[in-house]
Every structure is written in structure tokens, then in C-alpha cells.
Amino acid sequence: MASILNADLHCHSVVSDGTLTPEALAERASANGVDLWSLTDHDEIGGQQRAAAAAAASGMRYLTGAEISVTFIGKTVHIVGLGFDAGNAQLLAGLANTRGGREQRAREMAEGLAKVGIPGCYEGALAYVGNPDLISRTHFARHLVESGVCKDTHEVFRRFLTDGKPGFVPHRWASLGEAVRWITEAGGVAVIAHPARYDFTANEEFALLTEFIGHGGQAVEVVTGSHTAAEQVRYAQVAQEHGLAASRGSDFHSPEESHTDLGRLPLLPGHLRPVWELLAHRIQ
Ligand code: AMP
Ligand code: MN
Ligand code: MN
Ligand code: MN
């Protein structure tokens, strides 16, 4: 398969912090010309069967997917897993553990917001949650927009939900080695998600790349909804320099919030090895 494939290997449904069902996402992806799709909910694979069935019904090929939250040198990094066996017991247990602290974290986030005069945010955020196991900052952001505290989710993150702000609670997710192992030992490929979005120095980024590869990670997102054109060029170079395959995905969450729609992003640069070439045997 050439890089001209319209592959979208990163998006979210109501099973995590997206607003559409797996079926509605499949329909939208297919209408936008996606050939190969993956639903990559945060820390959760409960939507995989529905997504695979909906992909088949829409004539798209499918790869299983998840986006795992990782703590690396004290910062949160996201690792996308693609093409794993969704029944793998170690992966299921690891994801369940990763989800485990979210409710307590959400209660502490609400306490922080109450202290700056915004009460009731836990209950407010819960009203937007599709999966009770997966309350995320995105649900708080939707509540704070709908209740008129901020004009959009971006403003919520900037003022309230990022490191040092009143609704931010430091959290310990999976380790990098755990996430990569859960994915690869379940037959999948691990991918560093949106590498330009981490606040890393050059040395820290080098450490992430080399440790990721050391653990068996094989790919990096080059074309994503959260990269600028210049960032795409930079991570195309990074992929080549480190011998990593390249992935492509919109990171679509919602028609109202996401500026990049499913499948509507540049093709992978032709000189890179597409991640789906490593996964030909796992495509459904
Ligand atoms: P959590 O896993 O609960 O920490 O939430 C992380 C999610 O918040 C990400 O997957 C994004 O969907 C969303 N997010 C993070 N930063 C921003 C931002 N600056 N603007 C809008 N959404 C964001
Ligand atoms: Mn998200
Ligand atoms: Mn992410
Ligand atoms: Mn994502």
C-alpha cells in the first residue's frame, strides 16, 4: 500500500472524550474518503468491536487502536497503539489500571476549581461523560464552556486545566516501557502521538525517542491535526533519522471543537515508511 492511502489512525469517540459514537465516526470518516481507519480512544478499547463493524459496513479497512496516557520524566506523553489483539489480557489489565485514577483525579480537579470560585465542576463534567470510567479534562472543558465561564475549550485549558492552573492535578499514568510492551506484546505497533505537542527540550525529546525505540516502539505521528506544516517537516526528518515508520491521524474529537476533520489532512510524505506497511497482516 502506498502513502497515497487516506489513512486516519487517530480519533476519539464517546467511549473516551469524543462527542460522536463509533458508528457516527465511521460514517463521517467514510464520507470524507478515509480508506483505512482506526478509533483510538484514550486508555480504553471498549469501542473497538463497534468501530470495526461500522468500518466494514462503510467499506473501510480497519486497525484496532488506543491512545495510552504515559508519564515520562514527569510529563504526560501519549502513545498510540495500532493493530493489537483487542482480547489480549495484559493489554486489557494495563488499560484498566491506567484508567483507574481518573475519578479521584477529577474530584481533586473540581476541588481546585471550587477554590477559585467555580463550584460544582465534578457534577458538571460528569454530565458530558459517555463512559463513567473515563472522565477527562475535556469533559471539564465542555462544562466550563457551556456554563459560560470560558468562550471555548482552548481558553479553559489555558486558564484552568494546564500545569500550574487551578484545575490541574498532577497525575501518574503508565510508564513508557509498560505502554509500549502492552501494545507490542499484543501484536501491535506503538506510535508516539503528536510529538510536537510536548513541552520538551531537545535533550528530553531525544531521550523520549531513544527510550521509546529501546522498548520496541516503531513509529511516530508525522501528519496529525495538531501539527503545523513546519512541524510535519520536522517530524518527517525525525522519523527518517531514527528509522521510525510514520503515522497519520486527525485526532478528531468533535465537529464543534476539532479544526481537522476525519481524513482531511495532508498525505504522508512519499519517502517515509507508512506505519500500515508494518501492520498489513493486522488490517481487518
Ligand atoms: P486527560 O487525559 O484527562 O488529561 O485529557 C487530555 C485531553 O484534553 C486531550 O486528549 C485533548 O483531548 C484535551 N486537550 C489537551 N490540551 C488541550 C487544549 N489546549 N485545548 C483543547 N483540548 C485539549
Ligand atoms: Mn482527547
Ligand atoms: Mn493525545
Ligand atoms: Mn488523541
Side-chain angles (χ1 to χ4, degrees):
M1 260 172 291
S3 342
I4 52 168
L5 202 68
N6 187 344
D8 193 329
L9 305 178
H10 190 153
C11 69
H12 300 272
S13 77
V14 289
V15 172
S16 63
D17 62 347
T19 63
L20 301 184
T21 60
E23 290 79 11
L25 284 170
E27 211 168 291
R28 192 176 179 102
S30 168
N32 286 353
V34 171
D35 303 304
L36 175 65
W37 180 50
S38 181
L39 171 65
T40 57
D41 278 310
H42 295 285
D43 307 323
E44 170 68 270
I45 56 177
Q48 292 302 306
Q49 280 191 355
R50 287 169 64 187
S58 308
M60 293 184 293
R61 281 171 290 177
Y62 191 75
L63 280 168
T64 53
E67 182 176 19
I68 305 181
S69 311
V70 159
T71 302
F72 178 73
I73 53 172
K75 292 179 183 169
T76 298
V77 167
H78 286 170
I79 301 296
V80 164
L82 297 171
F84 48 75
D85 165 13
N88 181 275
Q90 179 180 247
L91 173 66
L92 285 163
L95 292 174
N97 273 334
T98 307
R99 290 193 296 274
R102 279 187 180 267
E103 189 191 331
Q104 181 58 30
R105 169 192 186 232
R107 291 188 188 278
E108 291 171 25
M109 286 169 62
E111 281 169 27
L113 290 165
K115 280 190 192 139
V116 295
I118 316 171
C121 286
Y122 178 74
E123 295 73 17
L126 261 192
Y128 295 90
V129 167
N131 170 2
D133 249 16
L134 221 121
I135 185 162
S136 94
R137 285 186 289 164
T138 313
H139 302 113
F140 280 78
R142 290 190 186 128
H143 165 65
L144 288 169
V145 171
E146 288 305 313
S147 58
V149 176
C150 294
K151 70 172 187 337
D152 58 27
T153 53
H154 203 74
E155 183 189 341
V156 184
F157 275 88
R158 190 170 47 75
R159 286 177 53 197
F160 296 110
L161 299 184
T162 40
D163 199 354
K165 300 298 162 63
F168 183 80
V169 174
H171 192 72
R172 191 143 196 96
W173 304 105
S175 74
L176 181 65
E178 283 172 329
V180 174
R181 258 194 316 282
W182 297 338
I183 295 162
T184 52
E185 290 179 9
V189 166
V191 185
I192 299 175
H194 41 64
R197 294 282 68 80
Y198 310 118
D199 204 9
F200 283 147
T201 64
N203 280 344
E204 288 171 339
E205 185 182 82
F206 186 79
L208 171 65
L209 287 158
T210 50
E211 290 190 33
F212 173 74
I213 292 166
H215 289 302
Q218 291 181 278
V220 62
E221 285 184 349
V222 171
V223 177
T224 124
S226 55
H227 279 180
T228 63
E231 287 165 347
Q232 277 175 40
V233 171
R234 165 151 163 65
Y235 286 95
Q237 270 165 8
V238 165
Q240 276 207 303
E241 280 164 16
H242 290 265
L244 291 166
S247 191
R248 174 181 190 263
S250 58
D251 207 358
F252 182 81
H253 283 70
S254 148
E256 287 77 35
E257 294 161 17
S258 300
H259 55 83
T260 303
D261 206 336
L262 289 156
R264 297 262 164 90
L265 62 176
L267 294 171
L268 276 186
H271 61 285
L272 298 180
R273 177 156 212 210
V275 66
W276 51 89
E277 280 190 8
L278 306 178
L279 287 163
H281 59 296
R282 311 287 311 183
I283 294 176
Q284 303 179 31

